[in-house]
Amino acid sequence: MVEHGHSQDDVQARIGAPRGRGFLRDLVYGGIDGSITTFAIIAGVAGAGLDPWVIVALGFANVLADGFSMAAGNFSATKAELDDLARLREVERRHLRDYPEGERLEIREILRLKGLEGEVLEAATDAIAASEEASVQLMLEGEYGLASVDPHPWKAAVMTFVAFITAGVIPLIPFVFGLEDAFLYSAIATAGVFFGIGALKSRWALVAWWWSGLETLGIGGVAAAIAYAVGTLFHLG
């Protein structure tokens, strides 16, 4: 787990410019989906006994088309979050103008639930209520449970697309080079991607790297097994 510094400069820099959600979610989401969907196609086509170049063609078509679709979907979803944050900010600004006493009660209650009481609670309530921006930011967190840092739709889309393409191409490599037992090598490579993504994301988690890797490997393995089983139902040879 990554730790941060607690010097005066570290605290001022971190609190003054919070990072927000970041892109870990987008990278993990895109990487896992890219490897799962590509290998699912490989497993399904291989299970049906089709030519390896059919696997390559369908695999690359999936990587490009589904990667763009994932990126577009994540862009739209993140943009919707951004629009909702903007809407709620305007709602709270209007409420601060039209219902100042009611909003002050809300601010006081949020601070009370954070552990403030007595004169400290009243002083903090007055201080925050005196600033429209501070009041709005507190409302986003305390009333709606939302982060005050805006998400970045374009960056989220790019991160998802890059992760999807990178992870999605790996299962196709043995077929591109025409290796013997290409399906076996593809399965091993894909398993490595699953495990690697899981192990990497443990850097931001409390679980051990090997457990996180095995968890992700298990999720991907189930998806691949289902696709292969369905493909065998249509075996042509």
Side-chain angles (χ1 to χ4, degrees):
M1 183 173 63
V2 179
E3 299 289 345
H4 52 249
H6 291 86
S7 69
Q8 182 66 29
D9 290 341
D10 288 336
V11 170
Q12 286 182 342
R14 187 170 62 256
I15 303 302
R19 295 167 54 191
R21 186 181 72 184
F23 305 109
L24 176 63
R25 171 185 175 275
D26 305 312
L27 291 172
V28 172
Y29 181 43
I32 290 179
D33 196 71
S35 53
I36 284 180
T37 56
T38 303
F39 188 72
I41 289 176
I42 291 173
V45 175
L50 299 179
D51 187 272
W53 284 107
V54 174
I55 293 176
V56 173
L58 291 178
F60 275 106
N62 167 78
V63 166
L64 293 175
D66 206 12
F68 179 81
S69 175
M70 284 276 295
N74 201 12
F75 173 85
S76 297
T78 308
K79 181 64 164 54
E81 292 180 25
L82 185 63
D83 292 341
D84 191 43
L85 277 170
R87 179 186 66 84
L88 291 174
R89 285 192 179 102
E90 288 305 312
V91 167
E92 289 305 319
R93 289 190 180 99
R94 177 165 52 82
H95 286 181
L96 286 166
R97 293 191 301 269
D98 296 345
Y99 312 103
E101 290 305 315
E103 290 298 297
R104 186 187 184 284
L105 289 176
E106 291 181 2
I107 292 171
R108 186 181 186 281
E109 179 63 12
I110 292 171
L111 294 176
R112 186 188 69 80
L113 292 176
K114 290 181 179 293
L116 276 64
E117 57 184 22
E119 293 182 2
V120 174
L121 173 60
E122 300 305 327
T125 300
D126 290 339
I128 293 178
S131 169
E132 180 181 274
E133 185 60 26
S135 299
V136 170
Q137 299 289 34
L138 185 67
M139 293 296 180
L140 287 178
E141 176 190 346
E143 188 174 356
Y144 300 102
L146 297 173
S148 59
V149 181
D150 290 343
H152 302 281
W154 278 110
K155 290 182 179 179
V158 170
M159 292 296 179
T160 301
F161 183 76
V162 169
F164 190 99
I165 293 293
T166 302
V169 165
I170 291 176
L172 294 170
I173 293 176
F175 294 94
V176 172
F177 287 97
L179 300 180
E180 292 288 337
D181 298 320
F183 180 75
L184 175 61
Y185 288 119
S186 179
I188 294 172
T190 304
V193 172
F194 290 150
F195 187 86
I197 291 174
L200 180 62
K201 70 184 178 71
S202 71
R203 175 179 169 84
W204 295 272
L206 295 175
V207 299
W209 63 270
W210 56 268
W211 177 256
S212 181
L214 289 176
E215 179 184 56
T216 306
L217 176 60
I219 294 171
V222 169
I226 293 172
Y228 185 80
V230 172
T232 58
L233 299 177
F234 301 93
H235 197 284
L236 302 179

